[in-house]
Amino acid sequence: EVQLVESGGGLEKPGRSLRLSCTASGFTFGDYAMSWFRQAPGKGLEWVGFIRSKAYGGTTEYAASVKGRFTISRDDSKSIAYLQMNSLKTEDTAVYYCTSTHYYDSSGEVYFQHWGQGTLVTVSS
Amino acid sequence: QSVLTQPPSVSGAPGQRVTISCTGSSSNIGAGYDVHWYQHLPGTAPKLLIYGNSNRPSGVPDRFSGSKSGTSASLAISGLQSEDEAAYYCQSYDSSLSVVFGGGTKLTVL
């Protein structure tokens, strides 16, 4: 059974940093791209970014709203994906989800297969 | 403002059929990129409902179906049940923006 467990959320002040982790099990982690999403209070799902598998260079793509502040990385030996969030803003307050991601090697498209339960990040002074 | 446009809400009585539209443009759905659908019940993890325009992952009932034409796609839910009450999101890829999502549609079962 695929399991994705996010951790590292909590309360942080604006301008500070926070690192989220997503621990995966039940599938061959290194074969999959991994993604992060978020849902702010009362809003819809927002894609944050994804990281390709090493077979496709382990490169990343990000939403414009977080590009330059957030970084996704992965440790295939531990089956963990990370979301490093720097220069936090109050508008980053949200539940953050990680997902396993199917990557179309022919076109670069993706879709999101399995989702974790999420971890809450609150940015407030 | 989401790149893909969905109606904010739809509703239907138990047993009825409802459809949720997802409208994009020539740089995403109209460019031939696939459309995928997700179901999100409050307080739970979102779930992949339809992938590749019309394919259901194992475990998703055949009451759920997807289609795509031109720059739009649709999710149809037949035999509506109370447990279908959730938010539904469409997703595709954009040649300029990468991953694009709809703003979500809240389904109410009357």
Side-chain angles (χ1 to χ4, degrees):
Chain A
E1 180 197 1
V2 172
Q3 282 204 316
L4 297 167
V5 179
E6 301 92 341
S7 59
L11 175 63
E12 191 51 88
K13 291 180 169 34
R16 303 288 291 267
S17 297
L18 203 58
R19 188 177 80 160
L20 306 184
S21 300
C22 169
T23 303
S25 60
F27 64 103
T28 306
F29 181 81
D31 288 349
Y32 284 82
M34 295 296 295
S35 305
W36 287 92
F37 279 80
R38 64 185 181 183
Q39 185 174 35
K43 304 283 183 145
L45 291 172
E46 180 187 10
W47 170 69
V48 171
F50 74 86
I51 185 167
R52 295 175 179 84
S53 67
K54 292 285 195 297
Y56 294 101
T59 51
T60 51
E61 293 190 21
Y62 299 96
S65 58
V66 305
K67 200 168 185 176
R69 294 191 302 125
F70 288 12
T71 302
I72 298 173
S73 60
R74 62 190 300 153
D75 185 337
D76 290 353
S77 68
K78 296 180 180 176
S79 297
I80 299 178
Y82 299 100
L83 177 64
Q84 177 69 42
M85 304 185 292
N86 297 333
S87 303
L88 284 165
K89 305 177 181 180
T90 54
E91 52 263 42
D92 295 322
T93 294
V95 175
Y96 284 74
Y97 298 95
C98 74
T99 85
S100 63
T101 302
H102 180 91
Y103 179 76
Y104 291 52
D105 54 7
S106 57
S107 63
E109 299 171 72
V110 291
Y111 65 86
F112 310 102
Q113 295 171 291
H114 298 98
W115 298 64
Q117 292 291 331
T119 187
L120 177 62
V121 171
T122 303
V123 183
S124 173
S125 53
Chain B
Q1 190 83 352
S2 301
V3 174
L4 304 180
T5 301
Q6 298 179 235
S9 62
V10 297
S11 62
Q16 282 191 333
R17 180 178 186 270
V18 297
T19 61
I20 298 172
S21 61
C22 174
T23 303
S25 69
S26 59
S27 63
N28 42 68
I29 298 175
Y33 294 117
D34 283 351
V35 178
H36 319 285
W37 292 89
Y38 304 86
Q39 179 191 58
H40 192 195
L41 283 76
T44 69
K47 172 184 168 183
L48 175 66
L49 206 58
I50 297 285
Y51 68 94
N53 304 315
S54 59
N55 301 293
R56 285 185 307 276
S58 66
V60 173
D62 59 6
R63 303 186 295 106
F64 295 90
S65 62
S67 63
K68 176 189 140 179
S69 178
T71 58
S72 295
S74 289
L75 172 71
I77 309 172
S78 60
L80 211 52
Q81 300 179 5
S82 58
E83 56 259 39
D84 298 334
E85 193 159 285
Y88 292 84
Y89 296 86
C90 62
Q91 175 249 317
S92 187
Y93 192 82
D94 188 279
S95 54
S96 301
L97 301 171
S98 185
V99 175
V100 289
F101 256 76
T105 299
K106 171 100 170 64
L107 168 63
T108 300
V109 181
L110 302 169

